[in-house]
Amino acid sequence: SLEVATRTAKDLGCKVTVAVIDDLNSSVDVKIRADTVAFWMAENDFSDYELSEIKTANLPTLVVSDLCEETDFQIAVVSTDAVSQKLVDANLLSEFILCPLLLVPDA
């Protein structure tokens, strides 16, 4: 999935922002998560990206929608795993963002 997303970003010449969205009460180590994202991006030969770590009480769908609006995204890429776990509502997101939405599998 990340390979598809990074390849698409390269082909389209898009600026890439990886948004890591956590609940305010999350105990996930931010440094470990940032290192994991850096590893995944390096594995896919992609180094030109920004990492946005967001702790919020809002639903991830709203956060992604706001990010798309605030940063003028060219395309939003969401994992199908986030959708199937009901972390992101793809139907709602597709109604509120102005850029294309790409769902990529995690496999």
Side-chain angles (χ1 to χ4, degrees):
S1 66
L2 188 59
E3 182 180 347
V4 171
T6 54
R7 189 172 345 114
T8 301
K10 283 181 185 180
D11 291 347
L12 296 174
C14 296
K15 174 185 166 193
V16 174
T17 301
V18 178
V20 177
I21 304 167
D22 279 321
D23 185 81
L24 288 174
N25 300 320
S26 174
S27 61
V28 174
D29 186 341
V30 175
K31 172 79 170 109
I32 291 172
R33 175 132 336 130
D35 289 347
T36 302
V37 169
F39 174 80
W40 288 338
M41 296 302 269
E43 281 285 304
N44 289 283
D45 195 32
F46 201 91
S47 60
D48 188 21
Y49 70 96
E50 291 181 27
L51 179 62
S52 179
E53 300 171 55
I54 303 163
K55 286 202 172 256
T56 182
N58 290 332
L59 296 172
T61 302
L62 298 175
V63 175
V64 172
S65 178
D66 288 346
L67 279 172
C68 289
E69 185 177 313
E70 292 169 6
T71 58
D72 195 28
F73 279 9
Q74 295 171 312
I75 187 170
V77 179
V78 176
S79 75
T80 54
D81 189 47
V83 174
S84 67
Q85 290 183 24
K86 299 193 185 318
L87 300 172
V88 175
D89 184 334
N91 290 323
L92 189 61
L93 190 59
S94 67
E95 290 183 38
F96 290 103
I97 62 172
L98 299 176
C99 64
L101 175 62
L102 175 63
L103 298 175
V104 294
D106 283 343

mmCIF file of all heavy atoms in Angstrom, residues 40-60:
data_model
loop_
_atom_site.group_PDB
_atom_site.id
_atom_site.type_symbol
_atom_site.label_atom_id
_atom_site.label_comp_id
_atom_site.label_asym_id
_atom_site.label_seq_id
_atom_site.Cartn_x
_atom_site.Cartn_y
_atom_site.Cartn_z
ATOM 1 N N TRP A 40 9.508 2.989 6.634
ATOM 2 C CA TRP A 40 8.622 2.637 5.514
ATOM 3 C C TRP A 40 8.904 3.500 4.296
ATOM 4 O O TRP A 40 8.945 3.008 3.174
ATOM 5 C CB TRP A 40 7.165 2.809 5.897
ATOM 6 C CG TRP A 40 6.621 1.787 6.850
ATOM 7 C CD1 TRP A 40 7.104 0.535 7.095
ATOM 8 C CD2 TRP A 40 5.485 1.943 7.680
ATOM 9 N NE1 TRP A 40 6.333 -0.096 8.030
ATOM 10 C CE2 TRP A 40 5.324 0.749 8.409
ATOM 11 C CE3 TRP A 40 4.580 2.969 7.893
ATOM 12 C CZ2 TRP A 40 4.304 0.557 9.321
ATOM 13 C CZ3 TRP A 40 3.559 2.774 8.799
ATOM 14 C CH2 TRP A 40 3.439 1.586 9.501
ATOM 15 N N MET A 41 9.086 4.771 4.526
ATOM 16 C CA MET A 41 9.333 5.675 3.396
ATOM 17 C C MET A 41 10.680 5.346 2.747
ATOM 18 O O MET A 41 10.789 5.330 1.526
ATOM 19 C CB MET A 41 9.272 7.130 3.858
ATOM 20 C CG MET A 41 7.896 7.543 4.369
ATOM 21 S SD MET A 41 6.571 7.340 3.182
ATOM 22 C CE MET A 41 6.585 8.939 2.425
ATOM 23 N N ALA A 42 11.697 5.090 3.547
ATOM 24 C CA ALA A 42 13.016 4.740 3.009
ATOM 25 C C ALA A 42 12.952 3.418 2.243
ATOM 26 O O ALA A 42 13.578 3.280 1.191
ATOM 27 C CB ALA A 42 14.043 4.656 4.137
ATOM 28 N N GLU A 43 12.198 2.453 2.767
ATOM 29 C CA GLU A 43 12.030 1.171 2.093
ATOM 30 C C GLU A 43 11.423 1.345 0.703
ATOM 31 O O GLU A 43 11.658 0.543 -0.184
ATOM 32 C CB GLU A 43 11.126 0.241 2.910
ATOM 33 C CG GLU A 43 11.821 -0.420 4.073
ATOM 34 C CD GLU A 43 12.748 -1.532 3.622
ATOM 35 O OE1 GLU A 43 12.301 -2.451 2.934
ATOM 36 O OE2 GLU A 43 13.937 -1.466 3.981
ATOM 37 N N ASN A 44 10.630 2.385 0.536
ATOM 38 C CA ASN A 44 9.972 2.667 -0.741
ATOM 39 C C ASN A 44 10.693 3.762 -1.511
ATOM 40 O O ASN A 44 10.124 4.369 -2.414
ATOM 41 C CB ASN A 44 8.502 3.013 -0.509
ATOM 42 C CG ASN A 44 7.708 1.805 -0.100
ATOM 43 O OD1 ASN A 44 7.374 0.974 -0.925
ATOM 44 N ND2 ASN A 44 7.440 1.683 1.192
ATOM 45 N N ASP A 45 11.954 4.010 -1.103
ATOM 46 C CA ASP A 45 12.814 4.972 -1.803
ATOM 47 C C ASP A 45 12.164 6.349 -1.913
ATOM 48 O O ASP A 45 12.144 6.967 -2.971
ATOM 49 C CB ASP A 45 13.172 4.434 -3.196
ATOM 50 C CG ASP A 45 14.340 5.200 -3.809
ATOM 51 O OD1 ASP A 45 15.209 5.650 -3.039
ATOM 52 O OD2 ASP A 45 14.368 5.344 -5.041
ATOM 53 N N PHE A 46 11.604 6.798 -0.781
ATOM 54 C CA PHE A 46 10.936 8.088 -0.765
ATOM 55 C C PHE A 46 11.419 8.851 0.464
ATOM 56 O O PHE A 46 11.199 8.433 1.591
ATOM 57 C CB PHE A 46 9.412 7.890 -0.696
ATOM 58 C CG PHE A 46 8.643 9.087 -1.166
ATOM 59 C CD1 PHE A 46 8.270 9.192 -2.489
ATOM 60 C CD2 PHE A 46 8.308 10.089 -0.288
ATOM 61 C CE1 PHE A 46 7.560 10.297 -2.929
ATOM 62 C CE2 PHE A 46 7.593 11.189 -0.710
ATOM 63 C CZ PHE A 46 7.218 11.293 -2.040
ATOM 64 N N SER A 47 12.078 9.975 0.237
ATOM 65 C CA SER A 47 12.616 10.728 1.365
ATOM 66 C C SER A 47 12.050 12.140 1.474
ATOM 67 O O SER A 47 12.231 12.800 2.481
ATOM 68 C CB SER A 47 14.144 10.808 1.256
ATOM 69 O OG SER A 47 14.498 11.449 0.041
ATOM 70 N N ASP A 48 11.352 12.598 0.450
ATOM 71 C CA ASP A 48 10.840 13.964 0.437
ATOM 72 C C ASP A 48 9.400 13.997 0.951
ATOM 73 O O ASP A 48 8.459 13.967 0.173
ATOM 74 C CB ASP A 48 10.922 14.537 -0.984
ATOM 75 C CG ASP A 48 10.584 16.010 -1.022
ATOM 76 O OD1 ASP A 48 10.668 16.670 0.031
ATOM 77 O OD2 ASP A 48 10.223 16.498 -2.103
ATOM 78 N N TYR A 49 9.255 14.025 2.277
ATOM 79 C CA TYR A 49 7.929 14.047 2.885
ATOM 80 C C TYR A 49 7.986 14.804 4.210
ATOM 81 O O TYR A 49 9.051 15.021 4.777
ATOM 82 C CB TYR A 49 7.400 12.632 3.118
ATOM 83 C CG TYR A 49 8.137 11.882 4.206
ATOM 84 C CD1 TYR A 49 7.644 11.847 5.495
ATOM 85 C CD2 TYR A 49 9.337 11.222 3.949
ATOM 86 C CE1 TYR A 49 8.325 11.169 6.502
ATOM 87 C CE2 TYR A 49 10.020 10.544 4.929
ATOM 88 C CZ TYR A 49 9.508 10.515 6.205
ATOM 89 O OH TYR A 49 10.184 9.853 7.189
ATOM 90 N N GLU A 50 6.830 15.224 4.666
ATOM 91 C CA GLU A 50 6.704 15.834 5.982
ATOM 92 C C GLU A 50 5.900 14.889 6.856
ATOM 93 O O GLU A 50 5.008 14.202 6.380
ATOM 94 C CB GLU A 50 5.965 17.168 5.892
ATOM 95 C CG GLU A 50 6.745 18.254 5.191
ATOM 96 C CD GLU A 50 5.969 19.564 5.153
ATOM 97 O OE1 GLU A 50 5.124 19.800 6.044
ATOM 98 O OE2 GLU A 50 6.204 20.328 4.221
ATOM 99 N N LEU A 51 6.211 14.890 8.142
ATOM 100 C CA LEU A 51 5.478 14.068 9.093
ATOM 101 C C LEU A 51 4.677 14.997 9.990
ATOM 102 O O LEU A 51 5.228 15.902 10.610
ATOM 103 C CB LEU A 51 6.435 13.216 9.921
ATOM 104 C CG LEU A 51 5.809 12.321 10.982
ATOM 105 C CD1 LEU A 51 4.888 11.294 10.344
ATOM 106 C CD2 LEU A 51 6.882 11.637 11.799
ATOM 107 N N SER A 52 3.387 14.787 10.022
ATOM 108 C CA SER A 52 2.501 15.583 10.858
ATOM 109 C C SER A 52 1.904 14.670 11.914
ATOM 110 O O SER A 52 1.131 13.771 11.594
ATOM 111 C CB SER A 52 1.406 16.214 9.997
ATOM 112 O OG SER A 52 0.525 16.962 10.790
ATOM 113 N N GLU A 53 2.293 14.881 13.162
ATOM 114 C CA GLU A 53 1.790 14.064 14.264
ATOM 115 C C GLU A 53 0.716 14.867 14.983
ATOM 116 O O GLU A 53 0.979 15.953 15.464
ATOM 117 C CB GLU A 53 2.924 13.684 15.192
ATOM 118 C CG GLU A 53 3.998 12.883 14.482
ATOM 119 C CD GLU A 53 5.238 12.691 15.327
ATOM 120 O OE1 GLU A 53 5.091 12.178 16.449
ATOM 121 O OE2 GLU A 53 6.307 13.056 14.860
ATOM 122 N N ILE A 54 -0.483 14.316 15.032
ATOM 123 C CA ILE A 54 -1.628 15.053 15.552
ATOM 124 C C ILE A 54 -2.291 14.252 16.661
ATOM 125 O O ILE A 54 -2.716 13.122 16.449
ATOM 126 C CB ILE A 54 -2.645 15.320 14.423
ATOM 127 C CG1 ILE A 54 -1.966 16.074 13.291
ATOM 128 C CG2 ILE A 54 -3.861 16.053 14.952
ATOM 129 C CD1 ILE A 54 -2.720 16.033 11.993
ATOM 130 N N LYS A 55 -2.360 14.854 17.846
ATOM 131 C CA LYS A 55 -3.124 14.267 18.953
ATOM 132 C C LYS A 55 -4.393 15.088 19.060
ATOM 133 O O LYS A 55 -4.344 16.303 19.175
ATOM 134 C CB LYS A 55 -2.333 14.317 20.252
ATOM 135 C CG LYS A 55 -1.215 13.305 20.299
ATOM 136 C CD LYS A 55 -0.836 13.029 21.741
ATOM 137 C CE LYS A 55 0.137 11.894 21.804
ATOM 138 N NZ LYS A 55 -0.469 10.662 22.248
ATOM 139 N N THR A 56 -5.523 14.412 18.996
ATOM 140 C CA THR A 56 -6.789 15.127 18.943
ATOM 141 C C THR A 56 -7.914 14.307 19.545
ATOM 142 O O THR A 56 -7.830 13.083 19.590
ATOM 143 C CB THR A 56 -7.134 15.501 17.487
ATOM 144 O OG1 THR A 56 -8.350 16.234 17.466
ATOM 145 C CG2 THR A 56 -7.253 14.284 16.615
ATOM 146 N N ALA A 57 -8.949 15.010 19.966
ATOM 147 C CA ALA A 57 -10.166 14.343 20.423
ATOM 148 C C ALA A 57 -11.142 14.186 19.259
ATOM 149 O O ALA A 57 -12.138 13.478 19.375
ATOM 150 C CB ALA A 57 -10.810 15.143 21.549
ATOM 151 N N ASN A 58 -10.847 14.842 18.128
ATOM 152 C CA ASN A 58 -11.716 14.769 16.957
ATOM 153 C C ASN A 58 -11.579 13.430 16.252
ATOM 154 O O ASN A 58 -10.560 12.754 16.372
ATOM 155 C CB ASN A 58 -11.382 15.886 15.962
ATOM 156 C CG ASN A 58 -11.777 17.239 16.477
ATOM 157 O OD1 ASN A 58 -12.698 17.369 17.268
ATOM 158 N ND2 ASN A 58 -11.081 18.255 16.032
ATOM 159 N N LEU A 59 -12.594 13.093 15.482
ATOM 160 C CA LEU A 59 -12.541 11.882 14.669
ATOM 161 C C LEU A 59 -11.483 12.032 13.580
ATOM 162 O O LEU A 59 -11.335 13.118 13.001
ATOM 163 C CB LEU A 59 -13.901 11.633 14.024
ATOM 164 C CG LEU A 59 -15.055 11.353 14.974
ATOM 165 C CD1 LEU A 59 -16.369 11.319 14.203
ATOM 166 C CD2 LEU A 59 -14.831 10.047 15.720
ATOM 167 N N PRO A 60 -10.738 10.970 13.271
ATOM 168 C CA PRO A 60 -9.711 11.043 12.220
ATOM 169 C C PRO A 60 -10.255 11.546 10.882
ATOM 170 O O PRO A 60 -9.564 12.251 10.157
ATOM 171 C CB PRO A 60 -9.198 9.607 12.122
ATOM 172 C CG PRO A 60 -9.423 9.046 13.480
ATOM 173 C CD PRO A 60 -10.718 9.667 13.956
#
